[in-house]
């Protein structure tokens, strides 16, 4: 979902920095999910 939002924002604005920010947020969320998963063991 976040990837779609990032892509649509880029298509509408042409701002590559907005796309890159969304992808960074996605990566952070994935990393936090991995950390949470590791702490539950």
């Amino acid at each position: 979902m976040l990837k779609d939002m990032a892509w649509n924002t880029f298509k509408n604005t042409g701002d590559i920095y907005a796309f890159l920010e969304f992808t960074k947020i996605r990566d952070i969320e994935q990393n936090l999910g991995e950390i949470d998963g590791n702490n539950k063991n």
Side-chain angles (χ1 to χ4, degrees):
M1 182 174 142
L2 191 58
K3 183 179 178 181
D4 293 333
M5 187 185 324
W7 180 245
N8 287 332
T9 301
F10 172 68
K11 285 192 308 187
N12 291 333
T13 65
D15 185 7
I16 189 67
Y17 296 109
F19 179 78
L20 293 174
E21 287 296 322
F22 276 117
T23 56
K24 286 180 187 178
I25 291 169
R26 182 194 64 204
D27 292 343
I28 290 168
E29 287 178 344
Q30 287 175 348
N31 289 337
L32 288 175
E34 291 173 6
I35 290 169
D36 271 351
N38 291 336
N39 288 338
K40 292 180 181 177
N41 291 336

